[in-house]
Amino acid sequence: RLQGGIVPVKENILGNYIELIPGTPARLVLTNPQFEEVTIPDPKTKMPKTLRRLRWEVLEVDGVPRHTYFHVLSRKLAESLLALWERRTTDRICVEIVQFGVDLAKEYQVKPC
């Protein structure tokens, strides 16, 4: 929890990753993007499904130093973040991400900070 009782991202402590909260901006400092394949149960059929996701190391969350991960399944979000990564001048990028909607209707607003 940060000052003022604001919780900008939901943390999955056991999974050690960042989960965005719809409508709430999250400021992340990211580095070391890597694509990886993972097998997860399909939410509808419960059958195993292999996906390709982009994994970022997180160095900072809303101004607080952290070491965790941010996993991206959305192709649009991955493209936006990789475009910022390509234009970087250091070994990291700082982004503010806002998620709108849930499930398959998710959209993201991404801007550099």
Side-chain angles (χ1 to χ4, degrees):
R1 242 176 219 277
L2 298 178
Q3 293 176 342
I6 298 170
V7 180
V9 293
K10 186 166 101 179
E11 291 185 62
N12 184 315
I13 301 301
L14 295 177
N16 189 31
Y17 64 88
I18 298 295
E19 187 174 335
L20 300 175
I21 297 173
T24 304
R27 185 177 168 270
L28 306 174
V29 176
L30 306 172
T31 192
N32 197 22
Q34 296 181 10
F35 281 100
E36 58 187 13
E37 286 192 2
V38 293
T39 302
I40 62 169
D42 183 279
K44 292 184 181 184
T45 67
K46 306 299 182 212
M47 299 296 295
K49 166 176 161 174
T50 301
L51 301 171
R52 189 169 185 225
R53 71 181 180 190
L54 178 60
R55 184 187 77 175
W56 293 87
E57 285 184 48
V58 179
L59 303 175
E60 189 177 296
V61 177
D62 292 320
V64 178
R66 294 279 308 282
H67 186 267
T68 188
Y69 297 97
F70 180 56
H71 298 110
V72 178
L73 290 173
S74 163
R75 174 175 274 177
K76 281 184 183 179
L77 178 55
E79 288 172 356
S80 295
L81 292 172
L82 287 171
L84 292 172
W85 180 252
E86 291 298 319
R87 295 191 307 263
R88 75 190 186 286
T89 57
T90 65
D91 66 342
R92 61 193 65 191
I93 59 173
C94 180
V95 295
E96 183 177 281
I97 304 172
V98 182
Q99 174 187 317
F100 299 99
V102 293
D103 298 326
L104 296 177
K106 289 180 190 172
E107 291 290 331
Y108 300 90
Q109 177 185 43
V110 178
K111 61 183 178 182
C113 34

